[in-house]
Amino acid sequence: MERLFATEKVGGRALYKLHAITVFVGICLVLYYRATHVPAAGRAAWLGMLAAELWFGFYWVITQSVRWCPIRRRAFKDRLATRYGQRLPCVDIFVCTADPQSEPPSLVMATILSLMAYNYPPEKLNVYLSDDGGSILTFYALWEASAFAKHWLPFCRRYNIEPRSPAAYFPQSDKPNDPRAFEEWSLVKGLYEEMTERIDSIVRSGKVPEEIKVNHKGFSEWSTGGNSKDHQPIVQILIDGKDRDAVDKEGNVLPTLVYMAREKRPQYHHNFKAGAMNALIRVSSVISNSPIIMNVDCDMYSNNSDSIREALCFFLDEEMGHKIAFVQYPQNYNNMTKNNIYGNSLNVINQVEMGGMDTWGGPLYIGTGCFHRREALCGRTFTKDYKEDWDRGIKTQQRIDLTEEKAKSLATCTYELNTLWGNEIGLKYGCPVEDVITGLAIHCRGWRSVYNDPPRAAFVGVGPTTIAQTILQHKRWSEGNFSIFLSKYCPFLFGHGKTKLPHQMGYCIYGLWAPNSLPTLYYVVIPSLGLLKGTSLFPEIMSPWITPFIYVSVVKNIYSLYEALTSGDTMRGWWNGQRMWMVKRITSYLYGVIDNIRKLLGLSKMGFVVSPKISDEDESKRYEQEIMEFGTSSPEYVIIATIALLNLVCLVGGLAQFLTSGQNMLLNNFFLQVILCGLLVVINIPIYEAMFLRKDRGRIPFPVTLASLGFMMLALFVPIV
C-alpha cells in the first residue's frame, strides 16, 4: 500500500560534515592556543576570552544536532482522498486571544473565518475561541463573524480562493473579469468591510449598544458586571453544526462555532495560555470531542485550505501514523520587510533547524499551527498496540443550553484543584513557554512528532514591527526556554533514556539562548577596550595561530550566509539578522538570564505579557522603509547605544594612539581586535544614525543618548588585567 507521506533526506550532507569537522578542529585549536599562551599582562581578560570561546564552541556543537542529517516531509493528500474519501475524523480548532486592545477583534475574526473555511467537511469542523480577556467586545465580534460566515464560506468554495482570510484576500485580490463573479466579489467584500467597520467602531467606543444585545442570549453574560480578571465562566455556542438550521446562504452545513471565557477570580492563578488551552480541551470534550485538536494563535490565519488534509496524511499513515502525537507547521509572517530589518522571519529556524529535529524524534511544539492527537495531549503514553478511534466525537443532539451549562462547569477556577491538569494532563504549567515543555513531555512519553513545511505556507501571521516588540518577544522566549533548562525538565535530564541525545541537544539550542548573552556581552566589550588600552588579546598577524581564529570566524559566517540565502533571506537581510542577534543577546537574552536568577532566588514570579499586534501609522511607515524604530526611553536602548558608542570610541581612540605613536604594533599585535571592533562599528551604523542624525519620532531619545554616553565613559575606566 502506498504511503500517505514521503520522507526525504536533505542533500549535500557529506560536504557539510567535512565542513563541520574542519570547523570543529579549528575551534579546538583556538581553545588550545588560549589555554597554552596565557600572557602575563591582561591575564584575567585572556582567561575571560577563553571562557567565552569555550562557550561559543560548546553551543556550536549543540547546534550541529539539527544540521547533521536533516529530513523533509511531503504529504500526498490525493492518496488520502482516494483511500478515505469523506470518511475523515472530526477536528477541533482552538484559537486563543487575551486582550481586545493588543489583539484587535477584527484581526481575530479574520483568523476565525479562515479556519471555518477549510477545504474539509464542515460538519466535522468545530472552531473554539478562548477569550482570556472575557470581553463583550470580542464576543460581539464573533457574533458578527458567525453571520458573515454564511456568505464567506460559500464564496470561498465556489471560487476556491486562497488565502481564506478576508483581511488577507481582498487587499491582494484582483477584481474578477466575469460580471457575475465581480458582482458577488463586490457584495462579499462590501459585507466584510461593513462588518469590520462595525467591529472596530464598537471596540473604539468600548461598549456594545443595547439594541444589539437583544440579538443573542450570550450578551446577557455581561449583565452582572465583572472585568477581565474577575468573571464567571462563559460558554456560548454561536453555531451548532448538528442543528439542521445552521446552514449558509446556499443551504450547506456550517462548522460549529463556540465562544469560551474561562472563569477568572483574583485568588486563583489562571496559568496564562496553558490554562486557557486546558479549559478548551475540557469544554470541547462535551461539545465535539474530536480525536484531532488544532491550535493556532489569533493572528495566524489559515493560508492553505488543505492544511488539515495534509496533517491527516501523517496521522492516518498505516505504517507510522500510530506513533505520531502532533504535526507541527512553521510559524510564518506576512509582514516582513524585504531585508528583514528586525531579523524576525525565522526562515533558518523553520527551514533548517526544525527539519533537523524531525530526524531524531520530531520538532518541538511551538504553540501555534499544530495538530495534536487528543489522547497524546491529554497525557496518554505511547504503546505499540495503541489504536485510535478516528470515528470518535459527539454525534447525538442535546439541548444547547444543557451542553453550555455542562461546559461551563469544566471552565471554572476550582475544577483543576487537586487534579493532574497542568502536570500529567494537558499543557504543562509553571513555564512562560508552556508549549515547548508540553511537547518535550509528549516526546518523553514515547510519541514522536512530524514537521511539515509545504510549498504554500499553512499559516501566516503578524510578526513584530518595532525593535521593542522584537526584544519583548525574544525576552519571553529566551526566559521561558532557559527556565526549562534550569528545571527538572532540562532535556538532558528529563529526556535521558527517553529521547535520543541529538534530540535533547536540539531542544537545548533554544534553552541556551539566554546564557549566550554573557559571552556575547564580554566579546563585544573587552576586545574593544583592549584595543584602546593597548592590551593584545589575539595572536599576532605573523603567528600561525592566527589561522584557526580567522578560519573559524570566516567559514562559520559564510555558512550562516549560505543558510540564510537558501532559506529565502537576502544578503542584506542576513546582515540585519546578524545585528539583531547581537542586539537580542545583549538585551532580551540578558534579561532572560537575570529574570531566571531572580525567580530562583524568589525575588520575582513568572509573568506573561501579550505582544501587541498593532503599530501606529508613523511606525508602520518607518518599518516599511526599513528604518529602525526606537522612540522611547527604554533601558534596553541604553544598553544597545552604550555598546555601540563604546566600540566607536575604542576604534577611533585605538587607531589614533597607534597613528600618533608611529608604532607598527597595530598591524602586528592588534589586527583581529581592529577587525572585530571595526565590524561592530559598521553593524551599529543604524544605531549611530538613530542617536545623532535622525529627526523623526523613531530616533533614540536624547536622554537615552546622554545616559549611554555616561555609561560608556564609565566603561572606559574598566581595567584590562
Side-chain angles (χ1 to χ4, degrees), residues 168-447:
Y169 171 72
F170 284 119
Q172 68 184 33
S173 67
D174 296 324
K175 296 178 181 178
N177 294 323
D178 179 78
R180 186 173 178 180
F182 174 71
E183 182 180 356
E184 185 172 7
W185 180 88
S186 299
L187 172 64
V188 175
K189 184 174 184 287
L191 290 172
Y192 172 68
E193 290 173 346
E194 290 169 8
M195 179 195 74
T196 301
E197 176 54 36
R198 287 195 299 271
I199 292 173
D200 291 344
S201 176
I202 284 180
V203 169
R204 285 193 297 269
S205 70
K207 185 178 180 182
V208 178
E210 293 299 323
E211 59 269 22
I212 291 179
K213 292 181 181 179
V214 300
N215 291 313
H216 195 281
K217 63 181 179 62
F219 288 107
S220 64
E221 295 281 3
W222 284 268
S223 60
T224 56
N227 55 57
S228 62
K229 297 180 181 179
D230 189 4
H231 61 80
Q232 79 282 11
I234 303 171
V235 177
Q236 290 292 314
I237 302 174
L238 283 88
I239 300 177
D240 182 5
K242 304 182 192 73
D243 185 350
R244 293 181 179 178
D245 294 329
V247 295
D248 63 28
K249 70 186 187 80
E250 294 183 350
N252 299 305
V253 176
L254 287 167
T256 295
L257 182 63
V258 181
Y259 172 91
M260 182 201 80
R262 61 192 169 120
E263 184 181 22
K264 292 278 190 71
R265 300 300 178 194
Q267 64 270 35
Y268 293 100
H269 196 292
H270 61 271
N271 293 302
F272 311 111
K273 182 180 175 183
M277 284 286 292
N278 286 344
L280 281 170
I281 293 171
R282 296 192 298 272
V283 166
S284 66
S285 71
V286 298
I287 298 175
S288 51
N289 199 34
S290 300
I292 298 294
I293 290 174
M294 182 195 108
N295 85 283
V296 65
D297 286 346
C298 64
D299 63 329
M300 297 287 291
Y301 65 82
S302 168
N303 187 60
N304 185 339
S305 60
D306 284 326
S307 296
I308 297 180
R309 294 178 181 271
E310 289 192 351
L312 290 178
C313 288
F314 299 99
F315 287 115
L316 297 178
D317 181 72
E318 288 78 5
E319 184 176 323
M320 185 180 161
H322 66 289
K323 303 177 184 178
I324 297 172
F326 61 89
V327 177
Q328 179 66 65
Y329 285 85
Q331 187 169 1
N332 294 294
Y333 300 128
N334 67 347
N335 64 332
M336 295 294 98
T337 60
K338 178 183 176 182
N339 296 306
N340 195 15
I341 182 66
Y342 296 122
N344 286 321
S345 71
L346 307 179
N347 285 344
V348 172
I349 291 176
N350 287 341
Q351 299 188 32
V352 177
E353 297 181 358
M354 297 291 273
M357 286 193 71
D358 202 353
T359 304
W360 306 115
L364 42 74
Y365 166 39
I366 63 174
T368 184
C370 190
F371 290 81
H372 289 273
R373 189 187 296 267
R374 181 183 284 265
E375 292 286 326
L377 193 57
C378 288
R380 186 184 186 101
T381 299
F382 171 74
T383 56
K384 292 182 180 179
D385 59 348
Y386 171 72
K387 286 200 71 174
E388 180 66 77
D389 177 13
W390 293 117
D391 292 326
R392 68 183 294 179
I394 295 175
K395 309 291 193 300
T396 57
Q397 182 78 30
Q398 187 181 29
R399 281 175 49 190
I400 285 184
D401 57 341
L402 295 178
T403 302
E404 289 174 344
E405 287 305 313
K406 186 175 181 180
K408 287 178 186 178
S409 69
L410 303 176
T412 62
C413 291
T414 57
Y415 183 86
E416 294 181 352
L417 296 180
N418 302 315
T419 72
L420 295 176
W421 282 96
N423 186 14
E424 298 296 329
I425 304 175
L427 274 74
K428 288 188 173 291
Y429 296 155
C431 178
V433 286
E434 68 288 322
D435 37 27
V436 174
I437 199 172
T438 299
L440 176 61
I442 290 172
H443 283 135
C444 290
R445 290 198 296 268
W447 297 94

